[in-house]
């Protein structure tokens, strides 16, 4: 059964209304949202067929490219790019833009619906919940190398591509996808600083609804993930992975680190959740934190416009929490999303080897035999 957000959204019979303003009036395929259809590969194919019949490829906005910008000139040591840089480079043939919006369940926001309403011209939709490990009940865990390669190949991504990832909050889930590509050996990936809100605030154009090509690719990526985990053959692979195990940690490694103390452990959750003074948002998860870990809520790394703080301000945040940039670091959060914002900030400070505990607190707090501290 397909678990991706695309399947759930395109084939669901009910959607929460979007709060985003329409940039242009365009059909949203309401007929798809009134059918009760099971989330199977057959259902995904049905959705793709409906989009073929309904949408014609939409012309991308025309941008004036400035000669002083280049996808080759930006350094991979800097993890973010500005909206001005992306605007100038949007027509570069080897540049691909990914909308990786994802929201907490209690936010009542639907990323694929919002993608249809407004997205950066030419952007593809990257389903954080769908391009994930299908063998675990933990949310959006890192998929296998084969599954990731199959999914991103279906999106039309190749190793030669430079990637810019953004989300609908400013800087949130895009950092997770930045980290995922780095785990699988792709260095030419950046986060759009300030995301879609800053893009729109800068007066740059957006597309409303989705082109048939974008929907077909998103559907194909979901089908590819399913096929890999079912042991079926998938289409041509255009993206070769090179797994970087030092960038992802497991529960056993975190357990061992409690005694070994080889790595500083930073938790990106709120102070109240870290202290254990409030219940976890997911049922059945204990409150508290991993013994020996320190808390730097991810929001402390962002300014009021949801852009990453400059290096000097970032360093103050880590110094204030007693984190040494000269020693190894692992990060965690609730489900492995905002931990990647900490990794992004540390990357800006020159620490490019920060590991993320993928299972994070949902895995740790859900185990009956893992030690938990409360403040």
């Amino acid at each position: 059964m397909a678990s991706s957000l695309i399947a759930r959204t395109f084939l669901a019979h009910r959607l929460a209304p979007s709060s985003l303003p329409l940039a242009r009036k365009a059909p949203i395929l309401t007929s798809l949202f009134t059918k009760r259809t099971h989330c199977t590969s057959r259902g995904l194919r049905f959705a793709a067929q409906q989009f073929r019949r309904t949408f014609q490829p939409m012309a991308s906005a025309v941008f004036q490219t400035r000669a002083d910008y280049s996808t080759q000139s930006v350094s991979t040591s800097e993890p973010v790019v500005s909206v001005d840089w992306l605007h100038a480079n949007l027509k570069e043939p080897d540049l691909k833009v990914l909308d990786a919006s994802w929201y907490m369940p209690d936010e009542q926001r639907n990323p694929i619906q919002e993608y249809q309403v407004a997205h950066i011209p030419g952007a593809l939709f990257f389903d954080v919940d769908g391009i994930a490990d299908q063998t675990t009940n933990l949310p959006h865990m890192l998929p296998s190398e084969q599954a990731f390669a199959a999914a991103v190949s279906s999106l039309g991504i190749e190793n030669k591509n430079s990637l810019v990832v953004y989300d609908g909050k400013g800087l949130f889930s895009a950092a997770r996808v930045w980290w995922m590509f780095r785990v699988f050996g792709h260095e030419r990936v950046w986060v759009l600083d300030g995301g879609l809100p800053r893009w729109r605030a800068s007066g740059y154009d957006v597309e409303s609804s989705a082109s048939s090509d974008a929907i077909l690719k998103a559907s194909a990526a979901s089908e590819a993930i399913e096929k890999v985990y079912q042991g079926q053959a998938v289409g041509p692979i255009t993206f070769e992975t090179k797994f970087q195990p030092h960038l992802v940690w497991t529960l056993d490694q975190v357990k061992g680190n409690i005694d070994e103390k080889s790595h500083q452990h930073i938790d990106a959750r709120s102070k109240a959740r870290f202290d254990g003074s409030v219940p976890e948002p997911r049922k059945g998860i204990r409150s508290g934190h991993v013994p020996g870990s320190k808390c730097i809520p991810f929001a402390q790394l962002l300014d009021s416009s949801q852009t990453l703080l400059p290096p000097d301000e970032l360093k103050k945040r880590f110094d204030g929490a007693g984190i040494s940039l000269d020693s190894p670091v692992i990060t965690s959060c609730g489900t492995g999303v905002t931990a990647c914002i900490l990794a992004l900030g540390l990357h800006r400070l020159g620490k490019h080897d920060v590991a993320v505990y993928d299972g994070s607190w949902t895995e740790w707090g859900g185990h009956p035999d893992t030690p938990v501290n409360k403040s």
Side-chain angles (χ1 to χ4, degrees):
M1 298 282 288
S3 61
S4 74
L5 178 61
I6 294 169
R8 294 199 306 273
T9 302
F10 290 155
L11 306 177
H13 70 287
R14 189 176 298 166
L15 279 176
S18 172
S19 60
L20 286 178
L22 282 169
R24 304 184 187 92
K25 290 191 186 260
I28 306 294
L29 277 190
T30 54
S31 62
L32 281 182
F33 303 141
T34 60
K35 295 182 181 289
R36 290 182 180 270
T37 310
H38 291 294
C39 297
T40 62
S41 295
R42 180 181 177 185
L44 287 166
R45 286 193 293 273
F46 168 77
Q49 289 167 2
Q50 294 299 303
F51 272 92
R52 282 195 192 96
R53 295 176 185 140
T54 305
F55 287 106
Q56 295 296 324
M58 299 177 68
S60 297
V62 177
F63 295 105
Q64 182 68 39
T65 303
R66 297 203 295 266
D68 57 334
Y69 283 98
S70 167
T71 56
Q72 299 303 315
S73 66
V74 64
S75 171
T76 54
S77 295
E78 175 57 45
V80 298
V81 294
S82 69
V83 294
D84 293 334
W85 183 93
L86 180 59
H87 177 260
N89 279 275
L90 200 57
K91 294 179 70 177
E92 288 291 323
D94 288 337
L95 176 68
K96 292 191 182 294
V97 181
L98 304 179
D99 184 326
S101 300
W102 176 89
Y103 305 107
M104 292 290 289
D106 61 357
E107 292 183 87
Q108 304 272 318
R109 293 180 67 175
N110 187 302
I112 186 61
Q113 185 187 17
E114 292 186 9
Y115 170 84
Q116 285 186 271
V117 172
H119 58 268
I120 292 174
L124 299 164
F125 184 75
F126 188 103
D127 184 1
V128 171
D129 278 332
I131 302 178
D133 186 355
Q134 305 288 301
T135 66
T136 177
N137 291 327
L138 296 172
H140 44 253
M141 293 294 96
L142 197 69
S144 68
E145 286 187 76
Q146 185 184 3
F148 187 82
V152 300
S153 294
S154 296
L155 289 173
I157 296 171
E158 303 178 31
N159 293 95
K160 68 178 183 180
N161 292 136
S162 296
L163 306 174
V164 174
V165 192
Y166 74 89
D167 60 59
K169 293 189 74 169
L171 205 165
F172 189 62
S173 52
R176 168 76 185 185
V177 176
W178 167 83
W179 171 77
M180 290 174 71
F181 274 97
R182 292 187 65 246
V183 167
F184 290 116
H186 194 75
E187 290 292 330
R188 296 197 63 76
V189 56
W190 296 268
V191 170
L192 182 63
D193 210 9
L196 187 61
R198 192 170 184 89
W199 176 270
R200 299 187 74 169
S202 299
Y204 295 139
D205 197 16
V206 294
E207 289 180 340
S208 296
S209 80
S211 72
S212 58
D213 182 59
I215 294 303
L216 289 172
K217 285 179 177 178
S219 176
S222 294
E223 288 189 28
I225 284 279
E226 281 190 345
K227 287 180 178 179
V228 168
Y229 281 102
Q230 291 170 1
Q232 300 177 21
V234 293
I237 301 299
T238 59
F239 185 90
E240 180 183 346
T241 61
K242 295 179 181 177
F243 185 58
Q244 308 294 308
H246 65 285
L247 295 180
V248 54
W249 266 34
T250 65
L251 183 145
D252 287 339
Q253 287 173 294
V254 176
K255 262 186 181 179
N257 190 62
I258 293 174
D259 293 326
E260 296 167 6
K261 297 180 174 57
S262 63
H263 287 62
Q264 302 164 101
H265 184 164
I266 316 175
D267 191 323
R269 293 176 301 153
S270 69
K271 189 67 164 58
R273 289 176 66 188
F274 180 86
D275 290 343
S277 59
V278 297
E280 281 295 301
R282 290 175 174 82
K283 293 181 179 179
I285 308 298
R286 293 174 293 163
S287 298
H289 59 266
V290 176
S293 60
K294 297 180 179 180
C295 181
I296 302 180
F298 75 90
Q300 292 187 7
L301 273 56
L302 309 176
D303 65 16
S304 59
S305 63
Q306 299 301 295
T307 58
L308 193 62
L309 293 175
D312 59 337
E313 291 298 320
L314 286 173
K315 191 172 186 304
K316 288 179 184 178
R317 300 296 191 272
F318 290 106
D319 287 346
I323 300 300
S324 170
L325 298 181
D326 297 324
S327 299
V329 173
I330 64 163
T331 65
S332 66
C333 56
T335 62
V337 174
T338 58
C340 299
I341 298 177
L342 297 185
L344 193 81
L346 288 163
H347 194 98
R348 171 167 264 186
L349 293 176
K351 288 194 72 65
H352 302 164
D353 58 352
V354 174
V356 170
Y357 170 29
D358 197 23
S360 279
W361 192 253
T362 298
E363 181 179 40
W364 189 272
H367 268 252
D369 60 345
T370 49
V372 171
N373 279 4
K374 294 187 177 184
S375 301

